[in-house]
Short mmCIF file of all heavy atoms in Angstrom, two decimals:
data_model
loop_
_atom_site.label_atom_id
_atom_site.label_comp_id
_atom_site.label_asym_id
_atom_site.label_seq_id
_atom_site.Cartn_x
_atom_site.Cartn_y
_atom_site.Cartn_z
N LEU A 91 17.36 -2.71 10.77
CA LEU A 91 16.29 -2.97 11.74
C LEU A 91 14.97 -3.03 11.12
O LEU A 91 14.64 -2.05 10.41
CB LEU A 91 16.36 -1.96 12.89
CG LEU A 91 15.29 -2.10 13.98
CD1 LEU A 91 15.37 -3.43 14.68
CD2 LEU A 91 15.31 -0.95 14.90
N VAL A 92 14.20 -4.12 11.21
CA VAL A 92 12.88 -4.22 10.64
C VAL A 92 11.89 -4.07 11.79
O VAL A 92 11.94 -4.79 12.75
CB VAL A 92 12.66 -5.55 9.89
CG1 VAL A 92 11.22 -5.60 9.44
CG2 VAL A 92 13.64 -5.61 8.67
N LEU A 93 10.92 -3.09 11.58
CA LEU A 93 9.88 -3.05 12.49
C LEU A 93 8.69 -3.71 11.95
O LEU A 93 8.05 -3.22 10.91
CB LEU A 93 9.48 -1.58 12.74
CG LEU A 93 10.61 -0.59 13.03
CD1 LEU A 93 10.25 0.85 13.26
CD2 LEU A 93 11.35 -1.05 14.30
N ILE A 116 12.09 -6.21 15.26
CA ILE A 116 11.16 -6.13 16.43
C ILE A 116 9.74 -6.53 15.86
O ILE A 116 9.21 -5.87 14.91
CB ILE A 116 10.96 -4.70 17.00
CG1 ILE A 116 12.35 -4.11 17.27
CG2 ILE A 116 10.18 -4.74 18.24
CD1 ILE A 116 12.29 -2.60 17.76
N VAL A 124 4.64 -1.92 16.26
CA VAL A 124 5.74 -1.72 17.09
C VAL A 124 5.57 -0.22 17.63
O VAL A 124 5.24 0.67 16.89
CB VAL A 124 7.08 -1.86 16.35
CG1 VAL A 124 8.26 -1.37 17.18
CG2 VAL A 124 7.29 -3.30 15.79
N LEU A 125 5.92 -0.08 18.93
CA LEU A 125 5.76 1.30 19.53
C LEU A 125 7.06 2.02 19.25
O LEU A 125 8.10 1.51 19.21
CB LEU A 125 5.52 1.21 21.00
CG LEU A 125 4.18 0.37 21.38
CD1 LEU A 125 4.07 0.27 22.88
CD2 LEU A 125 2.92 1.13 20.81
N THR A 126 6.95 3.36 19.25
CA THR A 126 8.13 4.19 19.01
C THR A 126 9.18 4.06 20.17
O THR A 126 10.38 4.11 19.97
CB THR A 126 7.64 5.64 18.84
OG1 THR A 126 6.62 5.74 17.88
CG2 THR A 126 8.81 6.57 18.38
N GLU A 127 8.64 3.84 21.33
CA GLU A 127 9.56 3.61 22.49
C GLU A 127 10.36 2.31 22.34
O GLU A 127 11.57 2.36 22.67
CB GLU A 127 8.78 3.43 23.87
CG GLU A 127 7.95 4.60 24.22
CD GLU A 127 6.60 4.72 23.52
OE1 GLU A 127 5.79 3.78 23.64
OE2 GLU A 127 6.36 5.68 22.74
N GLU A 128 9.79 1.33 21.66
CA GLU A 128 10.59 0.07 21.45
C GLU A 128 11.61 0.41 20.30
O GLU A 128 12.76 -0.09 20.46
CB GLU A 128 9.63 -1.04 20.89
CG GLU A 128 8.57 -1.46 21.98
CD GLU A 128 7.63 -2.41 21.30
OE1 GLU A 128 7.87 -3.70 21.37
OE2 GLU A 128 6.64 -2.02 20.73
N LEU A 129 11.30 1.15 19.40
CA LEU A 129 12.26 1.56 18.36
C LEU A 129 13.40 2.30 19.00
O LEU A 129 14.62 2.07 18.78
CB LEU A 129 11.50 2.38 17.29
CG LEU A 129 12.51 3.25 16.32
CD1 LEU A 129 13.33 2.25 15.46
CD2 LEU A 129 11.59 4.15 15.44
N ALA A 130 13.06 3.33 19.90
CA ALA A 130 14.09 4.19 20.55
C ALA A 130 15.07 3.32 21.32
O ALA A 130 16.19 3.49 21.32
CB ALA A 130 13.39 5.22 21.40
N ASP A 131 14.44 2.39 22.02
CA ASP A 131 15.24 1.53 22.92
C ASP A 131 16.19 0.79 22.07
O ASP A 131 17.44 0.65 22.42
CB ASP A 131 14.24 0.55 23.54
CG ASP A 131 14.88 -0.23 24.70
OD1 ASP A 131 15.70 0.45 25.37
OD2 ASP A 131 14.59 -1.40 24.89
N LYS A 132 15.83 0.19 20.97
CA LYS A 132 16.71 -0.67 20.11
C LYS A 132 17.79 0.33 19.50
O LYS A 132 19.01 -0.12 19.40
CB LYS A 132 15.87 -1.20 18.93
CG LYS A 132 16.40 -2.38 18.30
CD LYS A 132 16.22 -3.70 19.12
CE LYS A 132 16.87 -4.85 18.44
NZ LYS A 132 17.21 -5.93 19.29
N LEU A 133 17.41 1.52 19.12
CA LEU A 133 18.35 2.39 18.49
C LEU A 133 19.50 2.81 19.48
O LEU A 133 20.51 3.12 19.09
CB LEU A 133 17.72 3.69 17.97
CG LEU A 133 16.81 3.50 16.73
CD1 LEU A 133 15.93 4.80 16.53
CD2 LEU A 133 17.65 3.13 15.54
N SER A 134 19.17 2.79 20.75
CA SER A 134 20.14 3.12 21.80
C SER A 134 21.18 2.00 21.96
O SER A 134 22.22 2.25 22.57
CB SER A 134 19.52 3.58 23.08
OG SER A 134 18.90 2.33 23.69
N GLN A 135 20.81 0.79 21.48
CA GLN A 135 21.73 -0.28 21.74
C GLN A 135 22.66 -0.67 20.57
O GLN A 135 23.64 -1.30 20.73
CB GLN A 135 20.86 -1.58 22.00
CG GLN A 135 20.12 -1.48 23.30
CD GLN A 135 18.97 -2.59 23.37
OE1 GLN A 135 19.16 -3.65 22.68
NE2 GLN A 135 17.91 -2.40 23.95
N TYR A 138 22.25 1.02 13.04
CA TYR A 138 21.59 0.49 11.86
C TYR A 138 21.79 1.36 10.71
O TYR A 138 21.53 2.58 10.71
CB TYR A 138 20.02 0.18 12.20
CG TYR A 138 19.87 -0.75 13.24
CD1 TYR A 138 19.56 -0.33 14.59
CD2 TYR A 138 20.09 -2.12 13.07
CE1 TYR A 138 19.42 -1.18 15.55
CE2 TYR A 138 19.78 -3.06 14.09
CZ TYR A 138 19.51 -2.56 15.32
OH TYR A 138 19.34 -3.42 16.44
N VAL A 141 16.41 1.57 8.84
CA VAL A 141 15.26 1.04 9.57
C VAL A 141 14.18 0.93 8.55
O VAL A 141 13.87 1.79 7.78
CB VAL A 141 14.90 1.98 10.69
CG1 VAL A 141 13.58 1.51 11.34
CG2 VAL A 141 16.01 2.00 11.81
N VAL A 142 13.57 -0.29 8.57
CA VAL A 142 12.48 -0.49 7.60
C VAL A 142 11.18 -0.78 8.35
O VAL A 142 11.13 -1.63 9.27
CB VAL A 142 12.77 -1.82 6.72
CG1 VAL A 142 11.78 -1.97 5.59
CG2 VAL A 142 14.21 -1.83 6.23
N SER A 143 10.03 -0.13 7.84
CA SER A 143 8.80 -0.44 8.50
C SER A 143 7.75 -0.56 7.42
O SER A 143 7.86 0.02 6.35
CB SER A 143 8.39 0.56 9.58
OG SER A 143 7.99 1.71 9.00
N PRO A 155 2.65 3.70 13.40
CA PRO A 155 2.77 5.24 13.66
C PRO A 155 4.00 5.75 12.98
O PRO A 155 5.04 6.13 13.48
CB PRO A 155 2.93 5.32 15.18
CG PRO A 155 3.48 4.04 15.55
CD PRO A 155 3.08 2.98 14.65
N VAL A 156 3.92 5.79 11.58
CA VAL A 156 5.03 6.14 10.74
C VAL A 156 5.64 7.46 11.02
O VAL A 156 6.83 7.59 11.05
CB VAL A 156 4.47 5.94 9.31
CG1 VAL A 156 5.48 6.63 8.28
CG2 VAL A 156 4.25 4.62 8.90
N GLU A 158 5.59 9.16 13.77
CA GLU A 158 6.37 9.16 15.09
C GLU A 158 7.81 8.46 14.86
O GLU A 158 8.78 8.96 15.31
CB GLU A 158 5.58 8.31 16.02
CG GLU A 158 4.59 9.05 16.83
CD GLU A 158 3.99 8.19 17.89
OE1 GLU A 158 4.64 7.29 18.37
OE2 GLU A 158 2.85 8.46 18.28
N TYR A 159 7.79 7.37 14.13
CA TYR A 159 9.07 6.67 13.84
C TYR A 159 9.99 7.64 13.22
O TYR A 159 11.17 7.82 13.61
CB TYR A 159 8.87 5.51 12.92
CG TYR A 159 8.04 4.25 13.28
CD1 TYR A 159 7.67 3.44 12.34
CD2 TYR A 159 7.69 4.06 14.71
CE1 TYR A 159 6.86 2.23 12.71
CE2 TYR A 159 6.95 2.93 15.00
CZ TYR A 159 6.58 2.01 14.04
OH TYR A 159 5.81 0.90 14.35
N ALA A 160 9.44 8.32 12.13
CA ALA A 160 10.33 9.19 11.38
C ALA A 160 10.93 10.27 12.22
O ALA A 160 12.13 10.63 12.10
CB ALA A 160 9.60 9.78 10.22
N THR A 161 10.09 10.82 13.13
CA THR A 161 10.58 11.91 14.04
C THR A 161 11.68 11.42 14.87
O THR A 161 12.73 12.02 15.16
CB THR A 161 9.38 12.40 14.89
OG1 THR A 161 8.33 12.84 13.99
CG2 THR A 161 9.78 13.58 15.76
N LYS A 162 11.56 10.19 15.50
CA LYS A 162 12.49 9.62 16.40
C LYS A 162 13.80 9.34 15.52
O LYS A 162 14.95 9.69 16.05
CB LYS A 162 11.93 8.34 16.84
CG LYS A 162 12.85 7.44 17.77
CD LYS A 162 13.53 8.13 18.87
CE LYS A 162 12.61 8.75 19.91
NZ LYS A 162 13.42 9.61 20.90
N LEU A 163 13.69 8.90 14.32
CA LEU A 163 14.83 8.54 13.44
C LEU A 163 15.67 9.72 13.06
O LEU A 163 16.88 9.56 12.75
CB LEU A 163 14.33 7.74 12.25
CG LEU A 163 13.96 6.29 12.62
CD1 LEU A 163 13.22 5.66 11.47
CD2 LEU A 163 15.11 5.47 13.04
N PHE A 166 19.04 10.04 14.58
CA PHE A 166 20.09 9.07 14.35
C PHE A 166 20.54 9.01 12.93
O PHE A 166 19.83 9.43 12.03
CB PHE A 166 19.44 7.66 14.64
CG PHE A 166 19.09 7.51 16.15
CD1 PHE A 166 17.85 7.95 16.59
CD2 PHE A 166 19.98 6.88 16.97
CE1 PHE A 166 17.49 7.78 17.92
CE2 PHE A 166 19.61 6.77 18.36
CZ PHE A 166 18.36 7.29 18.84
N THR A 168 20.72 7.11 10.23
CA THR A 168 20.20 5.94 9.62
C THR A 168 19.21 6.37 8.44
O THR A 168 18.72 7.45 8.53
CB THR A 168 19.48 5.10 10.66
OG1 THR A 168 19.07 3.81 10.08
CG2 THR A 168 18.34 5.74 11.37
N TYR A 170 15.58 5.73 6.66
CA TYR A 170 14.19 5.23 7.03
C TYR A 170 13.53 4.82 5.65
O TYR A 170 13.29 5.60 4.83
CB TYR A 170 13.38 6.29 7.68
CG TYR A 170 11.99 5.79 8.03
CD1 TYR A 170 11.77 4.47 8.21
CD2 TYR A 170 10.96 6.72 8.27
CE1 TYR A 170 10.46 4.01 8.61
CE2 TYR A 170 9.72 6.28 8.63
CZ TYR A 170 9.50 4.90 8.80
OH TYR A 170 8.19 4.44 9.13
#
Side-chain angles (χ1 to χ4, degrees):
L91 175 63
V92 174
L93 311 179
I116 311 178
V124 173
L125 303 175
T126 309
E127 298 79 66
E128 297 173 90
L129 165 64
D131 193 37
K132 202 79 181 158
L133 290 169
S134 67
Q135 295 164 28
Y138 297 99
V141 172
V142 189
S143 79
V156 164
E158 272 186 29
Y159 295 165
T161 305
K162 177 48 65 190
L163 287 167
F166 296 84
T168 183
Y170 181 24

